[in-house]
PDB file of all heavy atoms in Angstrom:
ATOM      1  N   ASN R   1      13.318  14.285   9.754  1.00 79.00           N
ATOM      2  CA  ASN R   1      14.112  15.236  10.526  1.00 79.00           C
ATOM      3  C   ASN R   1      14.937  16.205   9.688  1.00 79.00           C
ATOM      4  O   ASN R   1      15.523  17.141  10.211  1.00 79.00           O
ATOM      5  CB  ASN R   1      15.057  14.483  11.466  1.00 79.00           C
ATOM      6  CG  ASN R   1      14.299  13.812  12.590  1.00 79.00           C
ATOM      7  OD1 ASN R   1      13.142  14.131  12.858  1.00 79.00           O
ATOM      8  ND2 ASN R   1      14.940  12.864  13.244  1.00 79.00           N
ATOM      9  N   THR R   2      15.022  15.954   8.383  1.00 70.00           N
ATOM     10  CA  THR R   2      15.846  16.809   7.536  1.00 70.00           C
ATOM     11  C   THR R   2      15.084  17.228   6.299  1.00 70.00           C
ATOM     12  O   THR R   2      14.044  16.683   5.967  1.00 70.00           O
ATOM     13  CB  THR R   2      17.129  16.076   7.102  1.00 70.00           C
ATOM     14  OG1 THR R   2      16.764  14.955   6.297  1.00 70.00           O
ATOM     15  CG2 THR R   2      17.941  15.617   8.288  1.00 70.00           C
ATOM     16  N   GLN R   3      15.633  18.178   5.606  1.00 58.00           N
ATOM     17  CA  GLN R   3      15.044  18.676   4.362  1.00 58.00           C
ATOM     18  C   GLN R   3      16.002  18.418   3.198  1.00 58.00           C
ATOM     19  O   GLN R   3      16.300  19.312   2.394  1.00 58.00           O
ATOM     20  CB  GLN R   3      14.752  20.188   4.490  1.00 58.00           C
ATOM     21  CG  GLN R   3      13.738  20.538   5.548  1.00 58.00           C
ATOM     22  CD  GLN R   3      12.373  19.935   5.245  1.00 58.00           C
ATOM     23  OE1 GLN R   3      11.945  19.913   4.101  1.00 58.00           O
ATOM     24  NE2 GLN R   3      11.705  19.458   6.287  1.00 58.00           N
ATOM     25  N   GLN R   4      16.515  17.189   3.126  1.00 49.00           N
ATOM     26  CA  GLN R   4      17.406  16.761   2.041  1.00 49.00           C
ATOM     27  C   GLN R   4      18.643  17.664   1.912  1.00 49.00           C
ATOM     28  O   GLN R   4      19.056  18.047   0.820  1.00 49.00           O
ATOM     29  CB  GLN R   4      16.651  16.731   0.702  1.00 49.00           C
ATOM     30  CG  GLN R   4      15.526  15.721   0.639  1.00 49.00           C
ATOM     31  CD  GLN R   4      16.034  14.284   0.762  1.00 49.00           C
ATOM     32  OE1 GLN R   4      17.210  14.041   0.557  1.00 49.00           O
ATOM     33  NE2 GLN R   4      15.161  13.366   1.075  1.00 49.00           N
ATOM     34  N   CYS R   5      19.215  18.029   3.035  1.00 53.00           N
ATOM     35  CA  CYS R   5      20.467  18.784   3.007  1.00 53.00           C
ATOM     36  C   CYS R   5      21.621  17.798   2.831  1.00 53.00           C
ATOM     37  O   CYS R   5      21.416  16.598   2.716  1.00 53.00           O
ATOM     38  CB  CYS R   5      20.633  19.586   4.298  1.00 53.00           C
ATOM     39  SG  CYS R   5      20.695  18.554   5.781  1.00 53.00           S
ATOM     40  N   CYS R   6      22.837  18.315   2.835  1.00 51.00           N
ATOM     41  CA  CYS R   6      23.993  17.447   2.630  1.00 51.00           C
ATOM     42  C   CYS R   6      24.092  16.379   3.710  1.00 51.00           C
ATOM     43  O   CYS R   6      24.436  15.239   3.447  1.00 51.00           O
ATOM     44  CB  CYS R   6      25.274  18.279   2.598  1.00 51.00           C
ATOM     45  SG  CYS R   6      25.382  19.377   1.163  1.00 51.00           S
ATOM     46  N   GLN R   7      23.743  16.760   4.941  1.00 54.00           N
ATOM     47  CA  GLN R   7      23.796  15.806   6.041  1.00 54.00           C
ATOM     48  C   GLN R   7      22.812  14.670   5.804  1.00 54.00           C
ATOM     49  O   GLN R   7      23.090  13.510   6.063  1.00 54.00           O
ATOM     50  CB  GLN R   7      23.488  16.500   7.367  1.00 54.00           C
ATOM     51  CG  GLN R   7      23.577  15.562   8.578  1.00 54.00           C
ATOM     52  CD  GLN R   7      23.242  16.265   9.872  1.00 54.00           C
ATOM     53  OE1 GLN R   7      22.922  17.448   9.890  1.00 54.00           O
ATOM     54  NE2 GLN R   7      23.315  15.538  10.958  1.00 54.00           N
ATOM     55  N   SER R   8      21.639  14.999   5.284  1.00 64.00           N
ATOM     56  CA  SER R   8      20.637  13.989   4.988  1.00 64.00           C
ATOM     57  C   SER R   8      21.161  12.998   3.966  1.00 64.00           C
ATOM     58  O   SER R   8      20.974  11.803   4.085  1.00 64.00           O
ATOM     59  CB  SER R   8      19.360  14.649   4.467  1.00 64.00           C
ATOM     60  OG  SER R   8      18.429  13.685   4.056  1.00 64.00           O
ATOM     61  N   ALA R   9      21.812  13.493   2.920  1.00 82.00           N
ATOM     62  CA  ALA R   9      22.369  12.619   1.897  1.00 82.00           C
ATOM     63  C   ALA R   9      23.422  11.696   2.508  1.00 82.00           C
ATOM     64  O   ALA R   9      23.488  10.504   2.174  1.00 82.00           O
ATOM     65  CB  ALA R   9      22.969  13.448   0.770  1.00 82.00           C
ATOM     66  N   GLU R  10      24.231  12.218   3.406  1.00 85.00           N
ATOM     67  CA  GLU R  10      25.276  11.417   4.037  1.00 85.00           C
ATOM     68  C   GLU R  10      24.674  10.309   4.892  1.00 85.00           C
ATOM     69  O   GLU R  10      25.114   9.155   4.840  1.00 85.00           O
ATOM     70  CB  GLU R  10      26.162  12.317   4.900  1.00 85.00           C
ATOM     71  CG  GLU R  10      27.320  11.588   5.560  1.00 85.00           C
ATOM     72  CD  GLU R  10      28.183  12.507   6.400  1.00 85.00           C
ATOM     73  OE1 GLU R  10      28.225  13.719   6.112  1.00 85.00           O
ATOM     74  OE2 GLU R  10      28.800  12.010   7.352  1.00 85.00           O
ATOM     75  N   GLU R  11      23.651  10.641   5.682  1.00 87.00           N
ATOM     76  CA  GLU R  11      23.013   9.647   6.537  1.00 87.00           C
ATOM     77  C   GLU R  11      22.283   8.602   5.698  1.00 87.00           C
ATOM     78  O   GLU R  11      22.295   7.410   6.017  1.00 87.00           O
ATOM     79  CB  GLU R  11      22.043  10.321   7.519  1.00 87.00           C
ATOM     80  CG  GLU R  11      22.717  11.196   8.560  1.00 87.00           C
ATOM     81  CD  GLU R  11      23.742  10.426   9.379  1.00 87.00           C
ATOM     82  OE1 GLU R  11      23.433   9.299   9.824  1.00 87.00           O
ATOM     83  OE2 GLU R  11      24.857  10.933   9.562  1.00 87.00           O
ATOM     84  N   SER R  12      21.634   9.043   4.631  1.00 90.00           N
ATOM     85  CA  SER R  12      20.931   8.113   3.752  1.00 90.00           C
ATOM     86  C   SER R  12      21.906   7.152   3.098  1.00 90.00           C
ATOM     87  O   SER R  12      21.619   5.960   2.931  1.00 90.00           O
ATOM     88  CB  SER R  12      20.155   8.882   2.671  1.00 90.00           C
ATOM     89  OG  SER R  12      19.148   9.683   3.247  1.00 90.00           O
ATOM     90  N   GLU R  13      23.082   7.660   2.747  1.00 92.00           N
ATOM     91  CA  GLU R  13      24.088   6.806   2.131  1.00 92.00           C
ATOM     92  C   GLU R  13      24.603   5.763   3.126  1.00 92.00           C
ATOM     93  O   GLU R  13      24.889   4.622   2.749  1.00 92.00           O
ATOM     94  CB  GLU R  13      25.244   7.646   1.592  1.00 92.00           C
ATOM     95  CG  GLU R  13      26.164   6.877   0.675  1.00 92.00           C
ATOM     96  CD  GLU R  13      27.189   7.755  -0.022  1.00 92.00           C
ATOM     97  OE1 GLU R  13      27.206   8.981   0.237  1.00 92.00           O
ATOM     98  OE2 GLU R  13      27.969   7.200  -0.809  1.00 92.00           O
ATOM     99  N   LYS R  14      24.689   6.127   4.387  1.00 90.00           N
ATOM    100  CA  LYS R  14      25.099   5.164   5.413  1.00 90.00           C
ATOM    101  C   LYS R  14      24.081   4.023   5.519  1.00 90.00           C
ATOM    102  O   LYS R  14      24.447   2.861   5.700  1.00 90.00           O
ATOM    103  CB  LYS R  14      25.246   5.861   6.776  1.00 90.00           C
ATOM    104  CG  LYS R  14      26.468   6.742   6.895  1.00 90.00           C
ATOM    105  CD  LYS R  14      26.523   7.390   8.269  1.00 90.00           C
ATOM    106  CE  LYS R  14      27.739   8.307   8.405  1.00 90.00           C
ATOM    107  NZ  LYS R  14      27.781   8.974   9.738  1.00 90.00           N
ATOM    108  N   ILE R  15      22.804   4.383   5.407  1.00 93.00           N
ATOM    109  CA  ILE R  15      21.755   3.366   5.473  1.00 93.00           C
ATOM    110  C   ILE R  15      21.819   2.466   4.242  1.00 93.00           C
ATOM    111  O   ILE R  15      21.662   1.244   4.339  1.00 93.00           O
ATOM    112  CB  ILE R  15      20.372   4.030   5.609  1.00 93.00           C
ATOM    113  CG1 ILE R  15      20.285   4.768   6.959  1.00 93.00           C
ATOM    114  CG2 ILE R  15      19.248   2.997   5.502  1.00 93.00           C
ATOM    115  CD1 ILE R  15      19.079   5.668   7.108  1.00 93.00           C
ATOM    116  N   LEU R  16      22.074   3.060   3.074  1.00 95.00           N
ATOM    117  CA  LEU R  16      22.247   2.256   1.861  1.00 95.00           C
ATOM    118  C   LEU R  16      23.417   1.293   2.016  1.00 95.00           C
ATOM    119  O   LEU R  16      23.338   0.127   1.600  1.00 95.00           O
ATOM    120  CB  LEU R  16      22.489   3.168   0.653  1.00 95.00           C
ATOM    121  CG  LEU R  16      21.263   3.851   0.055  1.00 95.00           C
ATOM    122  CD1 LEU R  16      21.692   4.884  -0.989  1.00 95.00           C
ATOM    123  CD2 LEU R  16      20.315   2.838  -0.565  1.00 95.00           C
ATOM    124  N   LEU R  17      24.493   1.773   2.615  1.00 93.00           N
ATOM    125  CA  LEU R  17      25.669   0.934   2.825  1.00 93.00           C
ATOM    126  C   LEU R  17      25.346  -0.212   3.780  1.00 93.00           C
ATOM    127  O   LEU R  17      25.801  -1.348   3.595  1.00 93.00           O
ATOM    128  CB  LEU R  17      26.823   1.775   3.357  1.00 93.00           C
ATOM    129  CG  LEU R  17      28.187   1.095   3.466  1.00 93.00           C
ATOM    130  CD1 LEU R  17      28.616   0.490   2.137  1.00 93.00           C
ATOM    131  CD2 LEU R  17      29.230   2.091   3.955  1.00 93.00           C
ATOM    132  N   SER R  18      24.530   0.070   4.793  1.00 92.00           N
ATOM    133  CA  SER R  18      24.120  -0.975   5.731  1.00 92.00           C
ATOM    134  C   SER R  18      23.307  -2.051   5.019  1.00 92.00           C
ATOM    135  O   SER R  18      23.511  -3.253   5.234  1.00 92.00           O
ATOM    136  CB  SER R  18      23.296  -0.360   6.869  1.00 92.00           C
ATOM    137  OG  SER R  18      24.068   0.551   7.627  1.00 92.00           O
ATOM    138  N   TYR R  19      22.377  -1.621   4.173  1.00 95.00           N
ATOM    139  CA  TYR R  19      21.602  -2.584   3.382  1.00 95.00           C
ATOM    140  C   TYR R  19      22.517  -3.396   2.464  1.00 95.00           C
ATOM    141  O   TYR R  19      22.325  -4.595   2.271  1.00 95.00           O
ATOM    142  CB  TYR R  19      20.551  -1.866   2.540  1.00 95.00           C
ATOM    143  CG  TYR R  19      19.219  -1.660   3.233  1.00 95.00           C
ATOM    144  CD1 TYR R  19      18.637  -0.402   3.322  1.00 95.00           C
ATOM    145  CD2 TYR R  19      18.527  -2.741   3.780  1.00 95.00           C
ATOM    146  CE1 TYR R  19      17.410  -0.208   3.946  1.00 95.00           C
ATOM    147  CE2 TYR R  19      17.307  -2.563   4.408  1.00 95.00           C
ATOM    148  CZ  TYR R  19      16.744  -1.294   4.488  1.00 95.00           C
ATOM    149  OH  TYR R  19      15.533  -1.113   5.108  1.00 95.00           O
ATOM    150  N   GLN R  20      23.507  -2.731   1.879  1.00 95.00           N
ATOM    151  CA  GLN R  20      24.415  -3.428   0.970  1.00 95.00           C
ATOM    152  C   GLN R  20      25.197  -4.509   1.714  1.00 95.00           C
ATOM    153  O   GLN R  20      25.387  -5.616   1.201  1.00 95.00           O
ATOM    154  CB  GLN R  20      25.377  -2.444   0.306  1.00 95.00           C
ATOM    155  CG  GLN R  20      26.266  -3.082  -0.747  1.00 95.00           C
ATOM    156  CD  GLN R  20      27.154  -2.081  -1.452  1.00 95.00           C
ATOM    157  OE1 GLN R  20      27.452  -1.014  -0.941  1.00 95.00           O
ATOM    158  NE2 GLN R  20      27.589  -2.423  -2.649  1.00 95.00           N
ATOM    159  N   MET R  21      25.635  -4.199   2.930  1.00 94.00           N
ATOM    160  CA  MET R  21      26.348  -5.187   3.728  1.00 94.00           C
ATOM    161  C   MET R  21      25.450  -6.384   4.016  1.00 94.00           C
ATOM    162  O   MET R  21      25.877  -7.542   3.903  1.00 94.00           O
ATOM    163  CB  MET R  21      26.812  -4.558   5.043  1.00 94.00           C
ATOM    164  CG  MET R  21      27.840  -3.458   4.893  1.00 94.00           C
ATOM    165  SD  MET R  21      29.431  -4.034   4.275  1.00 94.00           S
ATOM    166  CE  MET R  21      29.968  -5.035   5.643  1.00 94.00           C
ATOM    167  N   LEU R  22      24.183  -6.103   4.352  1.00 95.00           N
ATOM    168  CA  LEU R  22      23.263  -7.195   4.655  1.00 95.00           C
ATOM    169  C   LEU R  22      23.002  -8.050   3.418  1.00 95.00           C
ATOM    170  O   LEU R  22      22.951  -9.281   3.507  1.00 95.00           O
ATOM    171  CB  LEU R  22      21.952  -6.631   5.214  1.00 95.00           C
ATOM    172  CG  LEU R  22      20.881  -7.649   5.615  1.00 95.00           C
ATOM    173  CD1 LEU R  22      21.428  -8.662   6.616  1.00 95.00           C
ATOM    174  CD2 LEU R  22      19.655  -6.944   6.199  1.00 95.00           C
ATOM    175  N   THR R  23      22.843  -7.416   2.262  1.00 96.00           N
ATOM    176  CA  THR R  23      22.597  -8.185   1.039  1.00 96.00           C
ATOM    177  C   THR R  23      23.811  -9.039   0.664  1.00 96.00           C
ATOM    178  O   THR R  23      23.651 -10.125   0.108  1.00 96.00           O
ATOM    179  CB  THR R  23      22.230  -7.273  -0.147  1.00 96.00           C
ATOM    180  OG1 THR R  23      23.240  -6.274  -0.329  1.00 96.00           O
ATOM    181  CG2 THR R  23      20.888  -6.587   0.081  1.00 96.00           C
ATOM    182  N   GLN R  24      25.001  -8.574   0.971  1.00 95.00           N
ATOM    183  CA  GLN R  24      26.200  -9.379   0.717  1.00 95.00           C
ATOM    184  C   GLN R  24      26.187 -10.657   1.541  1.00 95.00           C
ATOM    185  O   GLN R  24      26.661 -11.707   1.091  1.00 95.00           O
ATOM    186  CB  GLN R  24      27.462  -8.576   1.027  1.00 95.00           C
ATOM    187  CG  GLN R  24      27.821  -7.556  -0.034  1.00 95.00           C
ATOM    188  CD  GLN R  24      29.123  -6.833   0.308  1.00 95.00           C
ATOM    189  OE1 GLN R  24      29.115  -5.785   0.934  1.00 95.00           O
ATOM    190  NE2 GLN R  24      30.231  -7.410  -0.107  1.00 95.00           N
ATOM    191  N   VAL R  25      25.633 -10.559   2.737  1.00 95.00           N
ATOM    192  CA  VAL R  25      25.511 -11.744   3.592  1.00 95.00           C
ATOM    193  C   VAL R  25      24.429 -12.684   3.051  1.00 95.00           C
ATOM    194  O   VAL R  25      24.597 -13.911   3.051  1.00 95.00           O
ATOM    195  CB  VAL R  25      25.171 -11.320   5.044  1.00 95.00           C
ATOM    196  CG1 VAL R  25      24.900 -12.546   5.916  1.00 95.00           C
ATOM    197  CG2 VAL R  25      26.301 -10.492   5.641  1.00 95.00           C
ATOM    198  N   LEU R  26      23.332 -12.112   2.568  1.00 96.00           N
ATOM    199  CA  LEU R  26      22.179 -12.913   2.151  1.00 96.00           C
ATOM    200  C   LEU R  26      22.335 -13.532   0.768  1.00 96.00           C
ATOM    201  O   LEU R  26      21.768 -14.592   0.496  1.00 96.00           O
ATOM    202  CB  LEU R  26      20.911 -12.045   2.163  1.00 96.00           C
ATOM    203  CG  LEU R  26      20.484 -11.458   3.506  1.00 96.00           C
ATOM    204  CD1 LEU R  26      19.243 -10.597   3.323  1.00 96.00           C
ATOM    205  CD2 LEU R  26      20.206 -12.565   4.514  1.00 96.00           C
ATOM    206  N   LEU R  27      23.076 -12.886  -0.117  1.00 95.00           N
ATOM    207  CA  LEU R  27      23.126 -13.299  -1.518  1.00 95.00           C
ATOM    208  C   LEU R  27      23.502 -14.769  -1.731  1.00 95.00           C
ATOM    209  O   LEU R  27      22.875 -15.446  -2.553  1.00 95.00           O
ATOM    210  CB  LEU R  27      24.093 -12.384  -2.287  1.00 95.00           C
ATOM    211  CG  LEU R  27      24.134 -12.553  -3.811  1.00 95.00           C
ATOM    212  CD1 LEU R  27      22.752 -12.386  -4.428  1.00 95.00           C
ATOM    213  CD2 LEU R  27      25.121 -11.564  -4.428  1.00 95.00           C
ATOM    214  N   PRO R  28      24.495 -15.309  -1.016  1.00 93.00           N
ATOM    215  CA  PRO R  28      24.845 -16.719  -1.259  1.00 93.00           C
ATOM    216  C   PRO R  28      23.817 -17.715  -0.706  1.00 93.00           C
ATOM    217  O   PRO R  28      23.898 -18.912  -1.009  1.00 93.00           O
ATOM    218  CB  PRO R  28      26.190 -16.884  -0.516  1.00 93.00           C
ATOM    219  CG  PRO R  28      26.658 -15.489  -0.222  1.00 93.00           C
ATOM    220  CD  PRO R  28      25.425 -14.684  -0.065  1.00 93.00           C
ATOM    221  N   GLU R  29      22.875 -17.240   0.109  1.00 92.00           N
ATOM    222  CA  GLU R  29      21.922 -18.131   0.768  1.00 92.00           C
ATOM    223  C   GLU R  29      20.579 -18.091   0.032  1.00 92.00           C
ATOM    224  O   GLU R  29      19.772 -17.181   0.218  1.00 92.00           O
ATOM    225  CB  GLU R  29      21.722 -17.714   2.232  1.00 92.00           C
ATOM    226  CG  GLU R  29      22.996 -17.649   3.050  1.00 92.00           C
ATOM    227  CD  GLU R  29      23.584 -19.028   3.286  1.00 92.00           C
ATOM    228  OE1 GLU R  29      22.824 -20.011   3.310  1.00 92.00           O
ATOM    229  OE2 GLU R  29      24.822 -19.109   3.468  1.00 92.00           O
ATOM    230  N   SER R  30      20.312 -19.093  -0.800  1.00 90.00           N
ATOM    231  CA  SER R  30      19.079 -19.096  -1.603  1.00 90.00           C
ATOM    232  C   SER R  30      17.819 -19.137  -0.743  1.00 90.00           C
ATOM    233  O   SER R  30      16.761 -18.649  -1.147  1.00 90.00           O
ATOM    234  CB  SER R  30      19.082 -20.283  -2.566  1.00 90.00           C
ATOM    235  OG  SER R  30      19.184 -21.509  -1.855  1.00 90.00           O
ATOM    236  N   SER R  31      17.908 -19.701   0.455  1.00 91.00           N
ATOM    237  CA  SER R  31      16.728 -19.795   1.321  1.00 91.00           C
ATOM    238  C   SER R  31      16.279 -18.430   1.829  1.00 91.00           C
ATOM    239  O   SER R  31      15.147 -18.280   2.303  1.00 91.00           O
ATOM    240  CB  SER R  31      17.017 -20.706   2.515  1.00 91.00           C
ATOM    241  OG  SER R  31      18.113 -20.223   3.276  1.00 91.00           O
ATOM    242  N   TYR R  32      17.155 -17.427   1.723  1.00 94.00           N
ATOM    243  CA  TYR R  32      16.810 -16.073   2.178  1.00 94.00           C
ATOM    244  C   TYR R  32      16.563 -15.119   1.009  1.00 94.00           C
ATOM    245  O   TYR R  32      16.618 -13.903   1.183  1.00 94.00           O
ATOM    246  CB  TYR R  32      17.932 -15.513   3.049  1.00 94.00           C
ATOM    247  CG  TYR R  32      18.064 -16.177   4.400  1.00 94.00           C
ATOM    248  CD1 TYR R  32      19.282 -16.704   4.824  1.00 94.00           C
ATOM    249  CD2 TYR R  32      16.971 -16.279   5.259  1.00 94.00           C
ATOM    250  CE1 TYR R  32      19.404 -17.321   6.067  1.00 94.00           C
ATOM    251  CE2 TYR R  32      17.090 -16.886   6.499  1.00 94.00           C
ATOM    252  CZ  TYR R  32      18.305 -17.409   6.903  1.00 94.00           C
ATOM    253  OH  TYR R  32      18.421 -18.006   8.131  1.00 94.00           O
TER     254      TYR R  32
END
């Protein structure tokens, strides 16, 4: 939907932050 404008970078960073939150939950759990 975007051509890598500033808005695209902002939305992509939000998704990276979401992944980071999930990895923080998963990191202590070796089974995951």
Side-chain angles (χ1 to χ4, degrees):
N1 290 344
T2 64
Q3 297 297 320
Q4 296 296 342
C5 61
C6 293
Q7 182 181 1
S8 174
E10 182 180 334
E11 293 303 314
S12 296
E13 193 171 2
K14 287 180 181 179
I15 295 169
L16 282 171
L17 188 55
S18 297
Y19 271 127
Q20 185 177 23
M21 295 293 293
L22 181 55
T23 55
Q24 283 182 268
V25 174
L26 298 178
L27 188 56
E29 304 291 332
S30 59
S31 59
Y32 290 127

